[in-house]
Amino acid sequence: MESLEQQEVFEGVQLGAEEPQFSSRKDRSDTQLGDEGRIISLPEAARMLGTSYPTVHRLVNAGELKAFRIRNSWRTSTAACEEFVRRRFEEQAKICQSVEVD
């Protein structure tokens, strides 16, 4: 017979551990992706970026903002929005530097 410790842990996975249960839509939107941040909808991304939903949708379609679809609903992440802003700041800084040199 296996010891209790062997029964509970199999190849590093604890048996009997319950998976997180989401009780509401709000709980699901707080899903963390580690380095990718939190999954958000495009309207949430628009608020985060201080722009409109159609603008964010155009950015996604142009490939400027990373996003993915779940059926008919687009999702992105807070990290993708932060990366987009960082790239825009870098692009603007290059433009400003080239103007100052001329």
Side-chain angles (χ1 to χ4, degrees):
M1 180 174 231
E2 295 179 15
S3 71
L4 182 59
E5 187 175 307
Q6 289 173 327
Q7 289 175 349
E8 291 180 3
V9 179
F10 178 74
E11 293 183 19
V13 176
Q14 185 174 353
L15 301 177
E18 293 184 29
E19 300 224 1
Q21 297 295 315
F22 298 114
S23 59
S24 70
R25 188 173 195 174
K26 184 178 187 314
D27 291 340
R28 285 187 300 236
S29 69
D30 289 339
T31 302
Q32 293 292 323
L33 296 175
D35 292 341
E36 292 298 316
R38 186 173 63 87
I39 297 172
I40 58 174
S41 65
L42 293 192
E44 289 173 294
R47 285 190 297 275
M48 184 175 176
L49 296 171
T51 190
S52 67
Y53 172 81
T55 298
V56 171
H57 199 267
R58 282 192 295 272
L59 292 171
V60 168
N61 286 332
E64 294 182 53
L65 179 63
K66 292 180 184 178
F68 59 95
R69 285 185 79 148
I70 299 177
R71 296 193 181 223
N72 294 328
S73 181
W74 281 98
R75 294 286 185 259
T76 188
S77 70
T78 55
C81 291
E82 291 166 359
E83 174 66 18
F84 171 78
V85 170
R86 186 191 61 75
R87 280 194 323 268
R88 285 293 173 109
F89 272 122
E90 288 175 358
E91 291 169 7
Q92 190 63 40
K94 288 177 185 177
I95 291 169
C96 290
Q97 288 172 353
S98 67
V99 171
E100 289 175 9
V101 173
D102 292 341

